[in-house]
Amino acid sequence: MKINFSRQNIYLLAVSLFLLIFVLVFSFAVMIPEGKSYRVKKTELKKENLELKQLSDFAIEKEVILQKLQGDNSHAIKAFDAEFSAERFEKQHRNFFSSLSVSKRTKLEDEDGFSVYEVNTTSEISSPKSFYNFLDSVNKSDWVIGINFPINFKREGEMISSSFTMRVYSNNKESNSSK
């Protein structure tokens, strides 16, 4: 029995065998090792995407809180940016006192990025109630002011003479301009 193969079938068988060997070598040499590293990288990517989503949610949450705080405290934020003016302070708060004088403003050492000025104030009032009204007004003023103790009161006839020092806080212009 003689098997007769045509030349075309032999070429087709040789090319098919070559392609089969090529596919097997390519699979074991390239695809399988790369598949393992692909799975590792895919797992790492999932972890990083999860971490990115958590950080994005955290950033959005903090942005909402920041916007709320900025809205609630916009007056205080603007007060830190306002430059202190003794004349304007006297004009705004003169109605609480019979006489009000604000003396020299001395610059103290900066505290936590804020410029601090100490202002000496002397005044005459007719009753302590007007001084308390003044303190309430200072809380709503255009500046961030801290009244330092002791507050000295001295009775002079019908009037009460008072003297106290205030600290006026404002944003430090030098540190903000470099940012």
Side-chain angles (χ1 to χ4, degrees):
M1 171 162 126
K2 194 174 185 188
I3 300 177
N4 199 8
F5 289 113
S6 68
R7 190 176 282 173
Q8 185 179 6
N9 286 340
I10 293 176
Y11 288 143
L12 188 58
L13 183 63
V15 169
S16 297
L17 189 60
F18 174 74
L19 286 176
L20 178 65
I21 293 171
F22 176 75
V23 167
L24 290 175
V25 169
F26 181 76
S27 295
F28 288 110
V30 177
M31 293 294 281
I32 293 174
E34 289 298 319
K36 289 179 183 176
S37 68
Y38 169 77
R39 284 190 297 274
V40 169
K41 289 179 183 178
K42 184 178 175 183
T43 306
E44 289 175 5
L45 181 63
K46 282 184 181 180
K47 287 179 186 177
E48 288 178 8
N49 283 339
L50 179 63
E51 186 178 333
L52 177 65
K53 183 171 179 2
Q54 289 172 342
L55 290 175
S56 294
D57 292 344
F58 180 75
I60 290 169
E61 177 184 326
K62 293 303 173 188
E63 181 67 26
V64 167
I65 292 171
L66 174 66
Q67 295 297 327
K68 183 181 182 308
L69 287 174
Q70 283 178 335
D72 293 347
N73 301 308
S74 64
H75 180 73
I77 293 169
K78 290 176 186 171
F80 274 117
D81 289 333
E83 187 68 30
F84 181 73
S85 166
E87 297 82 25
R88 191 165 156 231
F89 179 82
E90 285 182 25
K91 241 186 231 183
Q92 283 184 350
H93 300 289
R94 183 171 305 208
N95 57 344
F96 296 105
F97 302 99
S98 300
S99 70
L100 173 67
S101 65
V102 177
S103 63
K104 185 178 174 192
R105 173 174 100 159
T106 57
K107 186 171 186 338
L108 299 177
E109 187 175 317
D110 290 353
E111 293 179 9
D112 295 326
F114 295 106
S115 298
V116 181
Y117 297 95
E118 189 164 79
V119 180
N120 296 320
T121 308
T122 56
S123 61
E124 288 185 359
I125 55 175
S126 56
S127 73
K129 183 171 176 34
S130 63
F131 187 77
Y132 293 123
N133 291 339
F134 161 73
L135 291 177
D136 287 338
S137 174
V138 165
N139 283 335
K140 298 172 186 164
S141 71
D142 295 338
W143 307 283
V144 176
I145 297 175
I147 307 290
N148 294 338
F149 291 98
I151 299 172
N152 299 317
F153 291 102
K154 185 177 180 183
R155 183 138 186 97
E156 295 175 356
E158 290 293 314
M159 301 302 277
I160 300 172
S161 176
S162 65
S163 65
F164 55 93
T165 59
M166 304 183 304
R167 283 193 172 188
V168 180
Y169 297 88
S170 64
N171 279 337
N172 193 348
K173 303 294 187 218
E174 294 86 35
S175 68
N176 287 343
S177 63
S178 64
K179 289 183 179 175

